Amino acid sequence: GAGVSQSPSNKVTEKGKDVELRCDPISGHTALYWYRQSLGQGLEFLIYFQGNSAPDKSGLPSDRFSAERTGGSVSTLTIQRTQQEDSAVYLCASSAKGQGISYEQYFGPGTRLTVT
Amino acid sequence: DAKTTQPPSMDCAEGRAANLPCNHSTISGNEYVYWYRQIHSQGPQYIIHGLKNNETNEMASLIITEDRKSSTLILPHATLRDTAVYYCIVRVRRSQGNLIFGKGTKLSVKP
């Protein structure tokens, strides 16, 4: 079946502009996660959704970062007034919940954001 | 979640078994060992997980020591496509919190 998809795959923006990154999770997955990975660095957690609510936003690096999820499906990560240090690959993952499911996270291909 | 320790890099000859170690000496009784890998320019991919018994699936085998303080991921016949960073993560099963990725082991499979 279809996996997690993200768009755009690449985004180049000028410093100070706002950007929106989109994630389409696997159908039926109730949990959705955003991570980012800077060049040569490990994966850094940003935010976690359960349904449309975000019980854990602890990883968002500043108030320029926000995310929403609608209809328990698509999520959008918005970065306002982008800075060069925001350049990274932004990864989305989703997982299912329920009897007999072990909650593995399935990742999308990522959006590579470059702030010039 | 318990902390894990992995070697930063390993090499393996194509066709041979790749054995990737992980230490997790502070693991709790209700924590599982999960393995993910990240091939260059792709998102991480789930491989396998286990509690205390050895586990095997179509991708790999997981051997967990009896005291559960360490484990080994085994790729029985490594191919060039297995070149990736492999992450060992310890967490409570059925947890819906975020994964905590360490630095992992960069496995290079060589022809």
Side-chain angles (χ1 to χ4, degrees), chain A residues 44-116:
Chain A
E44 174 189 7
F45 166 73
L46 298 178
I47 187 170
Y48 151 55
F49 286 92
Q50 181 60 252
N52 292 336
S53 63
D56 189 352
K57 306 179 184 180
S58 62
L60 294 177
S62 75
D63 58 9
R64 295 187 296 105
F65 287 73
S66 63
E68 65 174 11
R69 189 179 185 196
T70 55
S73 181
V74 172
S75 175
T76 303
L77 177 69
T78 301
I79 309 173
Q80 296 179 310
R81 304 181 303 281
T82 53
Q83 303 294 313
Q84 288 186 330
E85 60 263 28
D86 299 334
S87 295
V89 176
Y90 288 80
L91 290 154
C92 176
S94 68
S95 69
K97 178 181 180 181
Q99 191 73 20
I101 295 172
S102 54
Y103 296 53
E104 293 91 26
Q105 294 184 19
Y106 295 87
F107 285 78
T111 293
R112 180 175 298 278
L113 175 66
T114 303
V115 181
T116 61

Side-chain angles (χ1 to χ4, degrees), chain A residues 31 33 35 37 43 45 48 50 95-96 98 101-105 107-108, chain B residues 34 36 38 41 43-44 46 49 87 91 93-99 101:
Chain A
Y33 309 79
Y35 298 83
Q37 188 170 32
L43 285 95
F45 166 73
Y48 151 55
Q50 181 60 252
S95 69
I101 295 172
S102 54
Y103 296 53
E104 293 91 26
Q105 294 184 19
F107 285 78
Chain B
Y34 285 79
Y36 283 75
Q38 187 174 24
S41 297
Y46 164 79
H49 75 277
Y87 297 98
R91 70 199 305 258
R93 188 170 182 255
R94 301 172 71 87
S95 167
Q96 290 241 290
N98 60 289
L99 294 169
F101 289 86

